[in-house]
Amino acid sequence: TGSICDALLTQQPGVLTFGINHELVTAGITVSDDEVRDAMRYAFNTLKLVIEPGGAVPLAAVLSGKIDCCGQTTAIVLSGGNVDASLYAEILSS
């Protein structure tokens, strides 16, 4: 609890997604709120994209080195622009 990635906070997983993930997912990766903030700044400054905190998690994992992409073609999904304006301004200015 208590993350800027509010879209990812849930009391329990959905029945459909849990069933799929239970069958297919073999590992997980976590990123910190600071890594998400860095990814949001990178997306804005370098890619010219506004992405919400939860949608920045895959980019945070790549930029922090938690997903090794060296020598590989890698695709990540950056989604959502639903971010509070004051939070976004704070993230970009820090």
Side-chain angles (χ1 to χ4, degrees):
T1 63
S3 172
I4 64 169
C5 301
D6 57 346
L8 302 181
L9 299 177
T10 180
Q11 293 295 319
Q12 66 184 47
V15 174
L16 178 63
T17 53
F18 180 79
I20 293 168
N21 289 338
H22 183 69
E23 293 291 323
L24 300 176
V25 174
T26 58
I29 297 170
T30 60
V31 294
S32 69
D33 281 354
D34 286 339
E35 290 166 331
V36 170
R37 288 182 185 95
D38 291 343
M40 291 173 70
R41 276 192 294 277
Y42 179 89
F44 181 79
N45 293 324
T46 305
L47 306 173
K48 306 305 180 205
L49 295 174
V50 174
I51 53 178
E52 65 186 61
V57 167
L59 182 59
V62 169
L63 293 176
S64 67
K66 294 178 180 180
I67 296 176
D68 182 14
C69 300
C70 294
Q72 301 178 54
T73 301
T74 304
I76 58 173
V77 176
L78 307 177
S79 63
N82 185 23
V83 58
D84 177 74
S86 60
L87 173 63
Y88 196 64
E90 177 187 320
I91 288 169
L92 292 180
S93 67
S94 60

